[in-house]
Amino acid sequence: VQLQASGGGLVQAGGSLRLSCAASGRAFSSYPVGWFRQVPGKEREFVAALTNNGGSTRYTDSVKGRFTISRDNAKNTVYLQMNSLKPEDTAVYYCAAPPAPYYSGLYYASGTYYYWGQGTQVTVSS
């Protein structure tokens, strides 16, 4: 599986962005997917996760009600819709997938994931 993240940019506080994570591989719809973010000098932080069938979503508390993770299996793409953005959301955002389809692990732990996209920068100005 290869992951390609895109959609980052510069936005004012209160604005919106939609990140995309495009994947290669025919079985991608069977993989859980996570979004993480990282700022310089800090550990990579869990943001959101989606189960392989899309039936369950998980979010870190700071983005609940503002971010939505979803997937389009026909396009082999997972999205992270980010609304009401805040300066503290500024980070490099990464999408990630575990080592196998239907993999069950701690969705919030970066160690669960094996495949990582290259990251896309999100900058929110105040």
Side-chain angles (χ1 to χ4, degrees):
V1 175
Q2 290 185 321
L3 304 177
Q4 180 79 26
S6 63
L10 174 63
V11 64
Q12 289 187 333
S16 298
L17 284 173
R18 188 177 76 162
L19 306 184
S20 298
C21 178
S24 63
R26 290 176 293 177
F28 183 64
S29 61
S30 300
Y31 283 79
V33 175
W35 282 98
F36 288 75
R37 63 189 180 187
Q38 190 170 24
V39 298
K42 292 190 176 182
E43 292 188 357
R44 197 162 292 187
E45 173 192 30
F46 168 75
V47 177
L50 185 66
T51 60
N52 56 291
N53 62 4
S56 181
T57 57
R58 298 288 186 268
Y59 301 93
T60 191
D61 286 346
S62 63
V63 308
K64 284 180 180 177
R66 300 188 298 122
F67 291 11
T68 303
I69 187 172
S70 63
R71 74 191 310 157
D72 184 337
N73 290 332
K75 296 183 177 180
N76 257 13
T77 301
V78 171
Y79 301 100
L80 184 67
Q81 177 67 43
M82 305 187 297
N83 298 328
S84 302
L85 283 162
K86 303 176 181 180
E88 52 263 43
D89 294 319
T90 295
V92 177
Y93 283 71
Y94 299 88
C95 58
Y102 305 104
Y103 189 86
S104 62
L106 297 175
Y107 61 87
Y108 52 83
S110 60
T112 294
Y113 299 89
Y114 182 78
Y115 301 102
W116 291 85
Q118 84 285 6
T120 184
Q121 175 71 47
V122 172
T123 304
V124 185
S125 63
S126 58

